[in-house]
Amino acid sequence: MTIEHAPLPYPLDGLAPHISERTMSFHYGRHHAGYVANLNRMVEGTAHEGSAIEDILAAAEMPSALFNNAAQAWNHAFYWNSMSPGRAESPSPELLTALEQSFGSMDAFNARFAAAAVGNFASGWTWLVADPDGLSIVNTDDADTPLRHGRRALLTIDVWEHAYYLDYQNARPAYVDAFIEHLINWEFASTNYTHAT
Ligand code: MN3
């Protein structure tokens, strides 16, 4: 059994004009596909062959090429699902309550998430995670992922330059604003929150 490069949950041009078909063709079709192909090549003939991707990234040494490829394969699939063209505009009542308790208001959450994503100095990721004592915004570097640290991710934005450079060049804040204003799939985040609590 090989790790699947799962189909996108929308067409390559489904997120346009906020994320172009050209960006998606490289990001999904080359970058993500490459991580999945590398991962399958690396586990072939090893004890990890046939394992679930979550088990591989939990067991891989850190840092290692195996961890990087497993985590990037998982992170990107999670990122595609964090966005939707026909998205739910708002969180479930339960998640909205949790966001208000943890951040004060949706506007305050949006501002803090944007500041974290814009300020993430690494090639990395910005996440909303559900911890037992509330919600947090977390930045990770390179391939690192909350999953590795036992934390439950609700949604993520990729802030590696390849995620936005063709569409926004160095204007990461414009990409982050478009993600927050137009792309976040609150239904996905709400479902993840239900499973996390
Ligand atoms: Mn990426």
Side-chain angles (χ1 to χ4, degrees):
M1 187 187 82
T2 55
I3 303 290
E4 185 195 12
H5 186 214
L8 275 179
Y10 34 76
L12 279 175
D13 63 355
L15 303 178
H18 311 294
I19 297 178
S20 67
E21 180 175 7
R22 181 168 159 78
T23 289
M24 292 299 291
S25 69
F26 281 99
H27 199 184
Y28 172 77
R30 306 279 181 86
H31 291 274
H32 190 201
Y35 296 126
V36 174
N38 288 343
L39 177 60
N40 279 315
R41 193 164 52 240
M42 294 176 82
V43 302
E44 192 179 346
T46 74
H48 292 301
E49 187 171 355
S51 296
I53 192 167
E54 291 83 357
D55 295 330
I56 297 170
L57 78 84
E61 283 185 44
M62 258 184 94
S64 69
L66 179 63
F67 175 78
N68 287 341
N69 284 285
Q72 285 294 75
W74 190 89
N75 290 346
H76 281 88
F78 197 85
Y79 169 60
W80 311 135
N81 282 306
S82 293
M83 303 181 285
S84 177
R87 73 203 193 113
E89 296 277 338
S90 55
S92 65
E94 295 77 15
L95 178 54
L96 179 60
T97 298
L99 285 161
E100 288 172 347
Q101 283 174 348
S102 295
F103 303 106
S105 67
M106 273 305 290
D107 285 347
F109 162 74
N110 288 341
R112 287 200 29 202
F113 191 84
V118 169
N120 189 341
F121 190 70
S123 287
W125 301 81
T126 296
W127 307 80
L128 174 63
V129 302
D131 293 323
D133 59 348
L135 305 180
S136 305
I137 295 166
V138 174
N139 282 345
T140 58
D141 294 357
D142 305 320
D144 198 11
T145 180
L147 194 62
R148 173 70 184 215
H149 307 283
R151 303 181 81 176
R152 296 298 297 256
L154 303 187
L155 64 88
T156 194
I157 181 171
D158 186 343
V159 293
W160 286 53
E161 281 189 346
H162 65 225
Y164 60 87
Y165 210 84
L166 291 174
D167 296 328
Y168 298 93
Q169 293 75 53
N170 61 329
R172 190 193 291 182
Y175 160 66
V176 171
D177 283 349
F179 177 88
I180 292 170
E181 292 290 318
H182 301 289
L183 297 177
I184 291 179
N185 181 355
W186 282 112
E187 186 177 357
F188 177 68
S190 299
T191 301
N192 290 330
Y193 183 66
T194 302
H195 294 153
T197 52

